[in-house]
């Protein structure tokens, strides 16, 4: 029996599924968000806080003048926004590993919802698929369970993308330009003020904004100069305080990055090793075995090639330019950056993975029925992989768990 004989049965089923997705998009989205939340929160405090998480929490409870002093003394490389936010959060809800990591769980789950919203703004056919991909992606699950800044900075960049689409994809934005400029200033301040490498993502989005501003201005469309002025003016306001911080802590940050690279025997990677390291972590997360990382990195690379083929891409020009700038430019700029500063890891660019999810979901929507069935099977396999990796998080660490000792010390201090 040939595959074509199955078409009368497959096509109605596929059409029925897609019709349900279109009729009840919020139900599907809620189910995806519940899955994302469950993957991120299960056994969240099974492991004790590791060193970097503990440092972030410690710095979060220091006054800013002391953070400047200790950043130089400890040769720390991180700006303070996320740490201070985590400090205020744990002041409110209590200092535990669960509570400290809960901020990342919230940010990672909201990122799934914003990815869905951005897919709708771009007019992509399967926004639920993009949200599902981000919900179960191993790298997303892993870094949404750490008391560090990666999930938070990604959320800030997604807010920036959402604002950019609101302001520069259509002739009349819903949000007033000054309000959008103020929100973009807050997003840039929060992202860049939590991790310096977020500059690479901000540059990619701003290049798209500049390109769209020129197109709308030549239209001509009224108010483009005001929108662009508010946007880039807001960016300047958001970046300036962090630049002041960077100057105050420059000595410690430079020494910390250099010493960390030396201690870890890091050296600049060649292009192919660099690309493999990034694609493998984007596809399989940071703790997958080598055979799985190689397999999924190959699939991701092949799917990106398919996404660039004319027969698989009929999305709007502005959507294509935005997604490819967002997905690839930070990786290219990161390759250049790691030549000078080898202390550079794929997790710094976690924020490119929503662009991969959007590209992949849109490409899947352009394929034939049989290709879509294969893609559905692949999604199922990816969901299984995410569940397996989530179970892996509950395995015992090789690091010593000092929580019992901390409890004894705390009790002794009270007596």
């Amino acid at each position: 029996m040939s595959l074509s004989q199955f078409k009368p049965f497959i096509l109605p089923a596929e059409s029925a599924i897609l019709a349900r997705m279109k009729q009840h998009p919020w139900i599907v989205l809620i189910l995806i968000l519940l899955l994302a939340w469950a993957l991120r929160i299960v056994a969240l405090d099974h492991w004790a806080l590791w060193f970097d998480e503990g440092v972030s929490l410690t710095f979060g409870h220091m006054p800013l003048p002391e953070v400047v002093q200790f950043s130089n003394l400890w040769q720390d490389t991180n700006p303070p926004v996320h740490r201070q936010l985590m400090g205020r959060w744990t002041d409110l809800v209590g200092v535990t590993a669960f509570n400290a990591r809960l901020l990342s769980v919230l940010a990672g789950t909201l990122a799934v919802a914003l990815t869905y919203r951005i897919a709708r703004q771009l007019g992509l056919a399967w926004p639920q698929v993009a949200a599902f991909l981000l919900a179960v992606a191993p790298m997303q699950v892993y870094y949404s369970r750490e008391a560090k800044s990666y999930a938070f900075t990604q959320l800030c960049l997604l807010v920036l993308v959402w604002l950019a689409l609101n302001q520069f994809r259509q002739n009349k934005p819903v949000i007033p330009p000054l309000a959008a400029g103020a929100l973009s200033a807050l997003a840039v301040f929060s992202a860049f003020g939590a991790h310096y490498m977020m500059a690479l993502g901000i540059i990619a989005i701003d290049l798209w904004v500049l390109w769209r501003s020129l197109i709308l201005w030549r239209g001509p469309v009224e108010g483009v100069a005001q929108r662009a002025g508010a946007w880039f003016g807001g960016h300047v306001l958001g970046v300036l305080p962090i630049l002041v911080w960077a100057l105050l802590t420059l000595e410690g940050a430079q020494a910390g990055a250099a010493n960390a690279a030396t201690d870890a025997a890091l050296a600049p990677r060649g292009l192919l090793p660099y690309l493999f390291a990034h694609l493998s972590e984007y596809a399989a997360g940071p703790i997958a075995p080598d055979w799985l990382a190689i397999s999924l990195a190959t699939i991701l690379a092949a799917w990106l090639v398919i996404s660039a083929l004319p027969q698989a891409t009929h999305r709007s020009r502005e959507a294509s330019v935005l997604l490819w700038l967002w997905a690839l430019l930070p990786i290219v700029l990161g390759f250049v950056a790691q030549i000078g500063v080898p202390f550079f890891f794929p997790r710094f660019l976690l924020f490119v993975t929503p662009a991969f999810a959007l590209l992949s979901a849109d490409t899947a929507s352009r394929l034939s029925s049989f290709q879509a069935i294969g893609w559905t099977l692949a999604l199922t396999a990816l969901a299984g992989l995410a569940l397996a990796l989530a179970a892996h998080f509950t395995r015992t660490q090789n690091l010593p768990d000092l929580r019992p000792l901390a409890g004894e010390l705390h009790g002794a201090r009270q007596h």
Side-chain angles (χ1 to χ4, degrees), residues 253-310:
Q254 286 180 327
N259 291 337
T262 301
D263 293 343
L266 297 175
R269 287 189 172 116
L271 181 59
L272 290 180
Y274 171 86
L275 290 177
F276 170 74
H278 281 256
L279 288 176
S280 61
E281 187 157 335
Y282 298 147
I287 58 174
D290 289 344
W291 66 268
L292 185 59
I294 293 170
S295 301
L296 293 181
T298 303
I299 293 171
L300 176 58
W303 196 253
L304 289 175
V305 172
I306 293 171
S307 297
L309 298 177

Coordinates of all heavy atoms in Angstrom, one line a residue, residues 253-310:
A253 N 35.9 43.2 36.4 CA 35.3 42.4 35.3 C 36.3 41.9 34.3 O 36.3 40.7 33.9 CB 34.2 43.2 34.6
Q254 N 37.2 42.7 34.0 CA 38.3 42.3 33.0 C 39.1 41.2 33.6 O 39.5 40.2 33.0 CB 39.1 43.5 32.6 CG 38.4 44.5 31.7 CD 39.3 45.7 31.3 OE1 40.1 46.1 32.1 NE2 39.1 46.2 30.1
A255 N 39.5 41.5 34.8 CA 40.4 40.5 35.5 C 39.7 39.1 35.7 O 40.2 38.1 35.5 CB 40.9 41.0 36.8
G256 N 38.4 39.2 36.1 CA 37.6 38.0 36.3 C 37.4 37.2 35.0 O 37.6 36.0 35.0
A257 N 37.1 37.9 33.9 CA 36.9 37.2 32.6 C 38.3 36.5 32.2 O 38.3 35.4 31.7 CB 36.4 38.1 31.5
A258 N 39.4 37.3 32.3 CA 40.7 36.7 31.9 C 41.1 35.5 32.8 O 41.5 34.5 32.3 CB 41.7 37.8 32.0
N259 N 40.9 35.7 34.1 CA 41.3 34.6 35.0 C 40.4 33.4 34.9 O 40.9 32.2 34.9 CB 41.3 35.1 36.5 CG 42.3 36.1 36.8 OD1 43.4 36.2 36.1 ND2 42.1 36.9 37.8
A260 N 39.1 33.6 34.6 CA 38.2 32.5 34.4 C 38.6 31.7 33.2 O 38.6 30.4 33.2 CB 36.8 32.9 34.4
A261 N 38.9 32.4 32.1 CA 39.3 31.7 30.9 C 40.6 30.9 31.1 O 40.8 29.8 30.6 CB 39.5 32.8 29.8
T262 N 41.5 31.5 31.9 CA 42.8 30.8 32.1 C 42.6 29.6 33.0 O 43.1 28.5 32.7 CB 43.8 31.8 32.8 OG1 44.0 32.9 32.0 CG2 45.1 31.1 33.1
D263 N 41.8 29.8 34.1 CA 41.6 28.6 35.0 C 40.9 27.5 34.3 O 41.1 26.3 34.6 CB 40.7 29.1 36.2 CG 41.5 30.1 37.1 OD1 42.7 30.2 36.9 OD2 40.8 30.8 37.8
A264 N 39.9 27.8 33.4 CA 39.2 26.7 32.7 C 39.9 26.3 31.4 O 39.3 25.5 30.6 CB 37.8 27.2 32.4
A265 N 41.1 26.8 31.2 CA 41.9 26.5 29.9 C 41.0 26.8 28.7 O 41.0 26.0 27.7 CB 42.3 25.0 30.0
L266 N 40.3 27.9 28.7 CA 39.5 28.3 27.5 C 40.4 29.0 26.5 O 41.3 29.8 26.9 CB 38.4 29.2 28.0 CG 37.4 28.6 28.9 CD1 36.4 29.7 29.3 CD2 36.7 27.4 28.3
A267 N 40.2 28.7 25.3 CA 40.9 29.4 24.2 C 39.8 29.7 23.1 O 38.8 29.1 23.0 CB 42.0 28.5 23.6
P268 N 40.1 30.7 22.3 CA 39.2 31.0 21.2 C 38.9 29.8 20.3 O 39.8 29.1 19.9 CB 39.9 32.1 20.4 CG 40.8 32.8 21.4 CD 41.2 31.7 22.3
R269 N 37.7 29.5 20.0 CA 37.3 28.4 19.1 C 37.4 28.8 17.7 O 37.1 29.9 17.3 CB 35.9 27.9 19.5 CG 35.7 27.2 20.8 CD 34.3 26.6 20.9 NE 34.2 25.7 22.0 CZ 33.3 25.9 23.0 NH1 32.6 27.1 23.0 NH2 33.2 25.1 24.0
G270 N 37.7 27.8 16.8 CA 37.5 28.0 15.4 C 36.0 28.0 15.1 O 35.2 27.7 15.9
L271 N 35.7 28.4 13.8 CA 34.3 28.6 13.4 C 33.5 27.3 13.6 O 32.4 27.3 14.2 CB 34.3 29.1 12.0 CG 32.9 29.3 11.5 CD1 32.1 30.4 12.3 CD2 32.9 29.8 10.0
L272 N 34.0 26.2 13.1 CA 33.2 24.9 13.2 C 33.0 24.4 14.6 O 31.9 24.1 15.0 CB 33.8 23.9 12.3 CG 33.7 24.1 10.8 CD1 34.3 23.0 10.0 CD2 32.2 24.3 10.3
P273 N 34.1 24.4 15.4 CA 33.8 24.0 16.8 C 32.9 24.9 17.6 O 32.1 24.5 18.4 CB 35.2 24.0 17.4 CG 36.2 23.8 16.3 CD 35.5 24.5 15.1
Y274 N 33.0 26.2 17.3 CA 32.1 27.2 17.9 C 30.7 27.0 17.5 O 29.8 26.9 18.4 CB 32.6 28.6 17.4 CG 31.6 29.7 17.9 CD1 31.7 30.3 19.1 CD2 30.6 30.2 17.0 CE1 30.9 31.4 19.5 CE2 29.8 31.2 17.3 CZ 29.9 31.8 18.6 OH 29.0 32.8 18.9
L275 N 30.4 26.8 16.2 CA 29.1 26.5 15.7 C 28.5 25.2 16.3 O 27.3 25.2 16.7 CB 29.0 26.5 14.2 CG 29.2 27.9 13.5 CD1 29.2 27.7 12.0 CD2 28.1 28.9 13.9
F276 N 29.3 24.2 16.4 CA 28.8 22.9 16.9 C 28.5 23.1 18.4 O 27.5 22.6 18.8 CB 29.9 21.8 16.7 CG 29.5 20.6 17.5 CD1 28.5 19.8 17.0 CD2 30.1 20.2 18.7 CE1 28.1 18.6 17.7 CE2 29.8 19.1 19.4 CZ 28.8 18.3 18.9
A277 N 29.4 23.8 19.1 CA 29.1 23.9 20.6 C 27.8 24.7 20.8 O 27.0 24.3 21.7 CB 30.2 24.7 21.2
H278 N 27.5 25.7 20.0 CA 26.3 26.4 20.1 C 25.1 25.6 19.7 O 24.0 25.6 20.4 CB 26.4 27.8 19.4 CG 27.2 28.8 20.2 ND1 26.6 29.8 20.9 CD2 28.5 28.9 20.4 CE1 27.5 30.5 21.5 NE2 28.7 30.0 21.2
L279 N 25.1 25.0 18.5 CA 24.0 24.3 18.0 C 23.6 23.1 18.8 O 22.4 22.8 19.1 CB 24.2 23.8 16.5 CG 24.2 24.9 15.5 CD1 24.6 24.3 14.1 CD2 22.9 25.6 15.4
S280 N 24.6 22.4 19.4 CA 24.4 21.3 20.2 C 23.7 21.7 21.5 O 22.7 21.0 22.0 CB 25.6 20.5 20.5 OG 26.6 21.3 21.2
E281 N 24.1 22.8 22.1 CA 23.4 23.2 23.3 C 22.0 23.8 23.1 O 21.1 23.5 23.8 CB 24.3 24.2 24.1 CG 23.7 24.5 25.5 CD 24.7 25.1 26.5 OE1 25.9 24.8 26.3 OE2 24.3 25.8 27.4
Y282 N 21.9 24.5 22.0 CA 20.5 25.0 21.7 C 19.6 23.9 21.4 O 18.4 24.0 21.8 CB 20.6 25.9 20.4 CG 21.5 27.2 20.5 CD1 22.2 27.7 19.4 CD2 21.6 27.8 21.8 CE1 22.9 28.8 19.6 CE2 22.4 28.9 21.9 CZ 23.1 29.4 20.8 OH 23.9 30.5 20.9
A283 N 20.1 22.8 20.8 CA 19.2 21.7 20.4 C 18.9 20.7 21.6 O 17.8 20.2 21.8 CB 19.7 21.0 19.2
A284 N 20.0 20.4 22.4 CA 19.9 19.3 23.3 C 20.1 19.8 24.8 O 20.0 19.0 25.7 CB 21.0 18.3 23.0
G285 N 20.5 21.1 25.0 CA 20.7 21.5 26.4 C 22.2 21.2 26.8 O 22.9 20.6 26.0
P286 N 22.5 21.7 28.0 CA 23.9 21.6 28.4 C 24.4 20.3 29.0 O 25.6 20.1 29.2 CB 24.0 22.7 29.5 CG 22.7 22.8 30.0 CD 21.7 22.4 28.9
I287 N 23.4 19.3 29.3 CA 23.8 18.1 30.0 C 23.5 16.9 29.2 O 23.6 15.8 29.7 CB 23.2 18.0 31.4 CG1 21.6 18.1 31.2 CG2 23.6 19.1 32.3 CD1 20.9 17.9 32.5
A288 N 23.2 17.0 27.9 CA 22.9 15.8 27.1 C 24.1 15.0 26.8 O 25.2 15.6 26.7 CB 22.2 16.2 25.8
P289 N 24.0 13.7 26.6 CA 25.2 12.9 26.2 C 25.6 13.3 24.8 O 24.8 13.9 24.0 CB 24.7 11.5 26.2 CG 23.2 11.6 26.2 CD 22.9 12.9 26.9
D290 N 26.9 13.1 24.5 CA 27.5 13.5 23.2 C 26.7 13.0 22.0 O 26.5 13.8 21.1 CB 28.9 13.1 23.1 CG 29.8 13.9 24.1 OD1 29.4 14.9 24.6 OD2 31.0 13.4 24.3
W291 N 26.3 11.8 22.0 CA 25.6 11.2 20.8 C 24.3 11.9 20.6 O 23.9 12.2 19.4 CB 25.4 9.7 21.0 CG 24.4 9.3 22.1 CD1 24.7 9.1 23.4 CD2 23.0 9.3 22.0 NE1 23.6 8.8 24.1 CE2 22.5 8.9 23.3 CE3 22.1 9.4 21.0 CZ2 21.1 8.7 23.5 CZ3 20.7 9.3 21.2 CH2 20.3 8.9 22.5
L292 N 23.6 12.3 21.7 CA 22.3 13.0 21.5 C 22.6 14.4 21.1 O 21.8 14.9 20.2 CB 21.6 12.9 22.8 CG 20.1 13.5 22.8 CD1 19.3 12.8 21.8 CD2 19.5 13.4 24.2
A293 N 23.6 15.1 21.7 CA 23.9 16.4 21.3 C 24.2 16.5 19.8 O 23.8 17.4 19.1 CB 25.0 17.0 22.1
I294 N 25.1 15.6 19.3 CA 25.4 15.6 17.9 C 24.2 15.3 17.0 O 24.0 16.0 16.0 CB 26.5 14.5 17.7 CG1 27.8 14.8 18.4 CG2 26.8 14.3 16.2 CD1 28.8 13.7 18.4
S295 N 23.4 14.4 17.4 CA 22.2 14.1 16.6 C 21.3 15.3 16.5 O 20.8 15.7 15.4 CB 21.4 12.9 17.2 OG 22.3 11.8 17.2
L296 N 20.9 15.9 17.6 CA 20.0 17.0 17.6 C 20.6 18.3 17.0 O 19.9 19.0 16.4 CB 19.5 17.3 19.0 CG 18.6 16.2 19.7 CD1 18.2 16.6 21.1 CD2 17.4 15.9 18.8
A297 N 21.9 18.5 17.2 CA 22.5 19.6 16.5 C 22.5 19.5 15.0 O 22.2 20.5 14.3 CB 24.0 19.7 17.0
T298 N 22.7 18.3 14.5 CA 22.6 18.0 13.1 C 21.1 18.3 12.6 O 20.9 18.9 11.5 CB 23.0 16.6 12.8 OG1 24.3 16.3 13.2 CG2 22.9 16.3 11.2
I299 N 20.2 17.8 13.3 CA 18.8 18.0 12.9 C 18.4 19.5 12.9 O 17.8 20.1 12.0 CB 17.8 17.3 13.9 CG1 18.0 15.8 13.7 CG2 16.4 17.7 13.7 CD1 17.3 15.0 14.7
L300 N 18.9 20.3 14.0 CA 18.6 21.7 14.0 C 19.3 22.4 12.9 O 18.7 23.3 12.2 CB 19.2 22.3 15.4 CG 19.1 23.8 15.5 CD1 17.6 24.3 15.4 CD2 19.7 24.2 16.9
A301 N 20.5 22.1 12.6 CA 21.2 22.7 11.4 C 20.5 22.4 10.1 O 20.3 23.4 9.3 CB 22.7 22.2 11.3
A302 N 20.1 21.2 9.9 CA 19.3 20.8 8.7 C 18.0 21.6 8.6 O 17.6 22.1 7.6 CB 19.1 19.3 8.7
W303 N 17.3 21.7 9.8 CA 16.0 22.4 9.8 C 16.2 23.9 9.5 O 15.4 24.5 8.8 CB 15.3 22.2 11.1 CG 13.9 22.5 11.0 CD1 13.3 23.6 11.6 CD2 12.9 21.8 10.4 NE1 11.9 23.6 11.3 CE2 11.7 22.5 10.5 CE3 12.9 20.6 9.6 CZ2 10.5 22.0 10.0 CZ3 11.7 20.1 9.1 CH2 10.5 20.8 9.3
L304 N 17.3 24.5 10.0 CA 17.5 25.9 9.7 C 17.8 26.1 8.2 O 17.4 27.1 7.6 CB 18.7 26.4 10.5 CG 18.5 26.6 12.0 CD1 19.8 26.9 12.7 CD2 17.4 27.6 12.3
V305 N 18.5 25.1 7.6 CA 18.7 25.2 6.1 C 17.4 25.1 5.4 O 17.1 25.9 4.5 CB 19.6 24.1 5.6 CG1 19.7 24.0 4.1 CG2 21.0 24.3 6.2
I306 N 16.5 24.2 5.8 CA 15.2 24.0 5.2 C 14.4 25.3 5.4 O 13.7 25.8 4.5 CB 14.4 22.9 5.8 CG1 15.1 21.5 5.5 CG2 13.0 22.8 5.4 CD1 14.6 20.3 6.2
S307 N 14.5 26.0 6.6 CA 13.8 27.2 6.8 C 14.2 28.3 5.9 O 13.4 29.3 5.8 CB 14.0 27.6 8.3 OG 13.5 26.7 9.2
A308 N 15.4 28.2 5.3 CA 15.9 29.3 4.4 C 15.5 29.1 3.0 O 15.7 29.9 2.1 CB 17.4 29.4 4.6
L309 N 15.0 27.9 2.7 CA 14.6 27.6 1.3 C 13.4 28.3 0.9 O 12.4 28.4 1.6 CB 14.5 26.0 1.1 CG 15.7 25.2 1.4 CD1 15.3 23.7 1.3 CD2 16.8 25.5 0.4
P310 N 13.3 28.8 -0.4 CA 12.1 29.5 -0.8 C 10.8 28.7 -0.7 O 9.8 29.3 -0.4 CB 12.5 29.8 -2.3 CG 13.9 29.8 -2.4 CD 14.4 28.7 -1.4

